[in-house]
């Protein structure tokens, strides 16, 4: 949930990222800037929002410079709101996971006290980078565990099958409607 201007509470996805995340993932920044290394220190809380979220909160103006804060709602009720964050960028809408219908996202800097996360790496099609990645992560932090490597090409293959099935079912539904109309 996001607490925006005028007390709006919106359903939004939360994504913790670092500098160059948008370029690595191929997400276009429509306005403003990406996160800088200084943002990861958390001194001045900042955020990047998706186009959809910006349009919902500030439909007639730029989101840059406005402030928002996250409100996490659990089964036990809402937690205290997080700190106010200044919007420094607006990113193109993307689906964060398969089947994600919510395009209202807030991106916040990955802070040092976070325990878990994902590392996205653009490897130019090479698949032999996992041993180097494990070694480098171990040098930075011996407690770091790199236990999964997933190529986006696999995602594309999975989605192409689902897309084909959707088109096929839509065609069958159209034929069924046509038969029903014709009697």
């Amino acid at each position: 949930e996001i607490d925006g201007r005028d007390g709006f509470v919106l359903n939004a996805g939360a994504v913790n990222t670092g500098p160059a995340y948008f370029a690595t993932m191929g997400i276009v920044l429509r306005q403003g800037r990406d996160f800088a290394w200084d943002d990861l220190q958390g001194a001045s809380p900042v955020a990047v929002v998706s186009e959809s979220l910006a349009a919902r909160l500030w439909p007639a103006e730029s989101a840059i410079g406005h402030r928002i804060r996250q409100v996490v709602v659990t089964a036990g009720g809402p937690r205290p709101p997080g700190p106010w964050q200044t919007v420094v960028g607006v990113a193109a809408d993307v689906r964060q996971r398969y089947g994600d219908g919510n395009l209202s996202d807030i991106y916040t800097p990955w802070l040092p006290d976070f325990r878990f996360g994902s590392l996205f790496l653009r490897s130019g099609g090479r698949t032999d980078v996992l041993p180097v990645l494990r070694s480098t992560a171990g040098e930075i932090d011996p407690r770091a565990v790199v236990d999964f490597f997933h190529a986006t090409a696999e995602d594309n293959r999975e989605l192409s099958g689902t897309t084909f099935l959707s088109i096929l079912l839509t065609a069958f539904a159209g034929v069924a409607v046509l038969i029903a109309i014709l009697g």
Side-chain angles (χ1 to χ4, degrees), residues 76-111:
R79 294 185 187 158
W84 285 100
Q85 299 164 311
T86 302
V87 176
V88 296
V90 176
D93 291 336
V94 296
R95 298 197 188 290
Q96 296 299 331
R97 59 190 174 282
Y98 176 70
D100 183 9
N102 180 10
L103 296 177
S104 295
D105 292 314
I106 178 173
Y107 301 88
T108 55
W110 185 265
L111 299 177

Side-chain angles (χ1 to χ4, degrees), residues 3 35 85 88 128 137 141 144 153-154:
D3 182 356
F35 296 118
Q85 299 164 311
V88 296
D128 60 346
D141 185 348
E154 295 171 27

Side-chain angles (χ1 to χ4, degrees), residues 2 12-13 22 27-31 33 35 46-55 57-58 62-64 66-68 85-93 103-108:
I2 303 298
F22 300 103
I27 301 171
V28 177
L29 280 172
R30 303 285 191 209
Q31 295 177 26
R33 66 173 178 87
F35 296 118
V46 295
V48 172
V49 297
S50 67
E51 281 181 293
S52 291
L53 183 59
L57 288 175
W58 307 286
S62 172
I64 306 300
H66 283 284
R67 296 184 329 140
I68 58 175
Q85 299 164 311
T86 302
V87 176
V88 296
V90 176
D93 291 336
L103 296 177
S104 295
D105 292 314
I106 178 173
Y107 301 88
T108 55

Side-chain angles (χ1 to χ4, degrees), residues 76-152:
R79 294 185 187 158
W84 285 100
Q85 299 164 311
T86 302
V87 176
V88 296
V90 176
D93 291 336
V94 296
R95 298 197 188 290
Q96 296 299 331
R97 59 190 174 282
Y98 176 70
D100 183 9
N102 180 10
L103 296 177
S104 295
D105 292 314
I106 178 173
Y107 301 88
T108 55
W110 185 265
L111 299 177
D113 59 341
F114 291 168
R115 295 183 56 199
F116 302 100
S118 298
L119 173 67
F120 295 95
L121 174 70
R122 188 172 294 241
S123 66
R126 293 183 54 182
T127 58
D128 60 346
V129 297
L130 189 56
V132 175
L133 185 57
R134 283 190 174 127
S135 172
T136 303
E139 290 174 17
I140 295 169
D141 185 348
R143 300 170 297 165
V145 177
V146 178
D147 62 356
F148 187 71
F149 183 78
H150 184 77
T152 56

